[in-house]
Amino acid sequence: MSDYSVSAHEAFGPPVSVKKRGTFLESLHAWVVTVDHKRLGILYILYSTFFLLVAGAEALLMRLQLAYPHNQLLSPQVYNRFFTMHGTTMVFLVGMPFLFGFGNYIVPLQIGARDMAFPRLNAFSFWLTAFGGLLLYYSFLGGGGLYGVGNAPDVGWFAYAPLTARSFSPGHATDYWALALIVSGFGTLGTAVNIIATIVSMRCKGMTLMRMPLFTWLFLVVSMLTLVTITPLTAAQFMLLIDRYLGGHFFDTQAGGSSLVWIHFFWIFGHPEVYVLVMPAFAIANEVIPVFCRKAIFGYPAMVAASVGIMFVSLGVWAHHMFTVGMTSVSNAFFTLSTMLVGVPTGIKIFNWIATLWGGRIRFTTPMLFCIGFLFQFLIAGLTGIMLSVSPWDWQLHNSYFVIAHFHYVLVGAVVFCIFAALYFWYPKATGKLMDETLGKWHFWLFTIGFHITFDTMHFLGLLGMPRSIYTYQPDRGWNFLNLIVSIGGVIQGIAVLIFAFNFVRSYFRGKIAGDDPWDAWTLEWTTSSPPPAYNFEQTPEVHSRRPLWDLKHPDDPDWEYEA
Amino acid sequence: MSSIPLRVPEDALKWRLPYKSRVGMAALIVGESALFTIFVVAYIFYLGRSLTGPKPSDVLEVPVLGTICLLSSSLTIWRAERAIENDRRRSFTVWLATTVVLAVCFLVGTALEWHKLIYRDGLTISTNLFGTTFYSLVGLHATHVIVGLFLLSAVLLFSLFGWIDQRQSDRFSVVALYWHFVDAVWVVVFTVVYLIGR
């Protein structure tokens, strides 16, 4: 029963150093068959970095198309395919794999475990996710040829019925969409199960639930949320495939079916999905902010309670995506109020982060800069979210660029900023090298400036009435100049990401040696060497407080004396 | 704080964590429940909305025998769990074999029902909305029964070879947990499809 009775040597074989170079084929083989949570975490992160560049390129092409009216760069069909693939890729192949990659890498280290609960399931989940991505992009090779962008899905990432019915979506584009997401969804489900089992039953001695680092806490919450949000999407996609292949009638209005049911089922997944993406971002901020302002996080129990609160509330707000489909005014009122309720636990979190910063000795390193950017942008994203939750206001702005601006504020301004913070923060742990700070600051400032140019301006375009999902527009609507600005902002972000990619690769070969604990941090992952050995810890650690490394560094004034 | 304490806090707590596979199975069951919920909600929402026949009341017969078989298999697998916990291997094999037989009976019942529906009543998955929702929901459950049947048969095979004893009781309890879940879902599906839906 206890996994620690087995010695590391027996369980994992003789320790293999990552540095030792065999032939190329040998090391490739070692990576493909690996069941080590750290290697799988790195694979997840590389995989999603690759798709970040791909989906970013799609976004840039769309912005070039919209830079001025009546542009002929992309045909309407190709534009549809790009916005579908951009959304689908960013949510399923970038956001979730990135975050679950960090979870995979960090969680076992933070709880003092030697690996995940089910290492082989872990590898299986990764390869399922990878195969899902491959399947989705394989669709580019079919149908209308590469210039017509093959047979890629073109129904929007929400794939509203009846647009996905056989008659409106002939060919196999929609099937690729559903099958790819079902496959990668199973992978995600496996990872969520694995993370829950790891956190619940693999914690080292003394790590009670209320001593777990907040990062780990949030991954427990996110994994539980994932279990109940990914499966409805899978269910709905099965129904879609039954409709398309077996002649079913779930979403077929000609036979009594209802397209509204698809919208409900999609957003029962789609809304909590936002929290599945953003709560790991909170998790990252919870680690980075205290370390770089030299204070323990303010209000630990409140942070835990708020996370669990967000999980429950987020499951009851999905229909705020549907104010305009003609629900009753009672449901509109209910979903308005429940959506506003999310602001309460989120507000608690923001106040606690600010209270942590208050009076701290702040070090403005690159990860900290990204987290501070996150705080500001997430606040604004929350405020525009409250605006959109007011159903009459939403009637005005539905499907306009205001909505696009709002959710990109969440998904880029919060999630991507925190992903960058995490990459800079844990890069030295995974590689033993520090990323270059100067290039990092260039990356931060360019990306932040580009971000604000793009998405701040989009709010105004939305208020001026520009709808989403259009491939071009008339020159007399007053949108020309603003669209050009938005496109320029997009290009600046693209350049910033290229700087990041350069830094990421270069630091691996030329970076400064980091040492075990470059940031003077407090959680368990920094006690082991960088990169950690295959079995993580020479000796299974034992903790007595929320900041075990502080206790080690300050035996005269340990934390456990003050914690209740 | 006149003197610096050099003691370590006494964590007198016994450090005992739940069995990881059982936690994993419980988590999987939470996810599966969400999957079934969506199909059940779809079934209820589409009740009586078919534009063409046949209606559920025309063709469905309550599968009393199959239900009795499946629900009693929860009892027999519980007996098997108790048996292996106390290392009574012979009794374990007998109870497990009974469970497998009961599961097969249930599946045969479903097969006969579907055969009648398809060939006598002409109800297929594409006939009407009722057919679509009925075959997907009942089929989803039957798929889970089949998966469970594979697991149980594998354990039965191992136990016939004498490879199972007390040390595996924790692992077997994970399989049993899954099987109890499949039974519990049938209670919901049975109520919705055959009691409310008719």
Side-chain angles (χ1 to χ4, degrees), chain A residues 125 239 362:
Chain A
S125 306
M239 291 176 186
I362 302 175

Side-chain angles (χ1 to χ4, degrees), chain B:
Chain B
M1 292 285 268
S2 51
S3 62
I4 296 168
L6 281 173
R7 68 206 153 76
V8 186
E10 308 125 42
D11 272 325
L13 57 130
K14 282 214 182 66
W15 197 242
R16 199 176 154 71
L17 292 166
Y19 178 46
K20 63 183 181 182
S21 298
R22 205 174 292 137
V23 176
M25 183 52 81
L28 183 69
I29 284 173
V30 171
E32 293 267 26
S33 310
L35 187 74
F36 275 103
T37 307
I38 294 294
F39 276 93
V40 168
V41 166
Y43 192 89
I44 294 174
F45 180 80
Y46 285 133
L47 265 182
R49 288 186 190 229
S50 291
L51 301 181
T52 53
K55 293 201 298 269
S57 53
D58 300 337
V59 290
L60 284 191
E61 284 162 19
V62 182
V64 181
L65 205 63
T67 306
I68 290 173
C69 283
L70 194 63
L71 294 190
S72 47
S73 77
S74 232
L75 200 72
T76 54
I77 203 171
W78 175 72
R79 295 296 309 171
E81 264 185 281
R82 291 290 91 80
I84 198 65
E85 263 175 35
N86 301 319
D87 212 15
R88 287 183 277 115
R89 290 185 224 172
R90 189 160 208 94
S91 149
F92 170 72
T93 314
V94 171
W95 283 117
L96 186 61
T98 322
T99 313
V100 169
V101 170
L102 287 171
V104 170
C105 285
F106 172 79
L107 281 175
V108 169
T110 306
L112 291 175
E113 182 196 27
W114 284 30
H115 187 270
K116 170 196 162 279
L117 286 176
I118 293 169
Y119 292 101
R120 218 180 71 198
D121 305 319
L123 179 76
T124 66
I125 199 163
S126 61
T127 305
N128 61 10
L129 202 49
F130 162 59
T132 306
T133 51
F134 172 81
Y135 285 112
S136 359
L137 179 57
V138 175
L140 183 69
H141 178 262
T143 312
H144 281 77
V145 176
I146 291 170
V147 170
L149 190 59
F150 270 113
L151 293 174
L152 293 175
S153 315
V155 180
L156 182 61
L157 207 64
F158 293 159
S159 115
L160 288 175
F161 282 126
W163 295 342
I164 306 254
D165 59 30
Q166 202 168 16
R167 284 171 298 174
Q168 274 84 34
S169 71
D170 259 343
R171 292 185 182 187
F172 182 70
S173 75
V174 176
V175 178
L177 190 60
Y178 175 81
W179 192 252
H180 289 311
F181 165 70
V182 170
D183 276 7
V185 169
W186 180 249
V187 175
V188 176
V189 172
F190 180 79
T191 312
V192 166
V193 174
Y194 297 97
L195 299 185
I196 300 173
R198 229 155 63 94

Side-chain angles (χ1 to χ4, degrees), chain A residues 288-289 292 357 362-377 413 417-418 420-422 424-425 437-448 452:
Chain A
V288 174
I289 291 177
F292 291 115
L357 288 167
I362 302 175
R363 287 184 282 168
F364 288 102
T365 56
T366 312
M368 186 61 168
L369 285 175
F370 273 107
C371 275
I372 289 174
F374 151 79
L375 279 185
F376 281 105
Q377 282 139 207
F417 267 66
C418 280
F420 281 137
Y424 283 95
F425 188 64
E437 276 288 306
T438 319
L439 282 176
K441 294 214 161 99
W442 272 98
H443 168 209
F444 169 75
W445 286 110
L446 268 183
F447 194 76
T448 309
H452 283 280

Side-chain angles (χ1 to χ4, degrees), chain A residues 287-299:
Chain A
E287 292 302 311
V288 174
I289 291 177
V291 166
F292 291 115
C293 62
R294 312 311 302 154
K295 281 173 72 187
I297 191 95
F298 181 86

Side-chain angles (χ1 to χ4, degrees), chain A residues 69-194:
Chain A
H70 288 317
N71 194 353
Q72 301 281 321
L73 181 68
L74 305 178
S75 70
Q77 176 78 336
V78 172
Y79 186 85
N80 287 352
R81 296 199 151 135
F82 274 176
F83 78 65
T84 303
M85 292 298 269
H86 169 74
T88 310
T89 310
M90 281 295 189
V91 171
F92 295 98
L93 309 185
V94 178
M96 286 206 288
F98 244 128
L99 299 162
F100 277 118
F102 284 118
N104 241 310
Y105 197 100
I106 306 297
V107 164
L109 286 168
Q110 270 195 342
I111 61 173
R114 291 224 156 118
D115 206 317
M116 298 279 272
F118 313 111
R120 277 170 293 183
L121 173 67
N122 202 13
F124 182 61
S125 306
F126 169 74
W127 290 107
L128 273 183
T129 310
F131 179 70
L134 202 68
L135 191 62
L136 188 66
Y137 271 81
Y138 182 74
S139 63
F140 269 103
L141 296 180
L146 269 187
Y147 188 62
V149 199
N151 199 20
D154 58 353
V155 287
W157 84 284
F158 33 73
Y160 281 166
L163 201 60
T164 48
R166 267 251 176 263
S167 39
F168 295 102
S169 176
H172 291 297
T174 306
D175 305 325
Y176 275 118
W177 181 82
L179 282 170
L181 296 193
I182 285 174
V183 170
S184 67
F186 278 133
T188 312
L189 188 66
T191 310
V193 165
N194 213 339

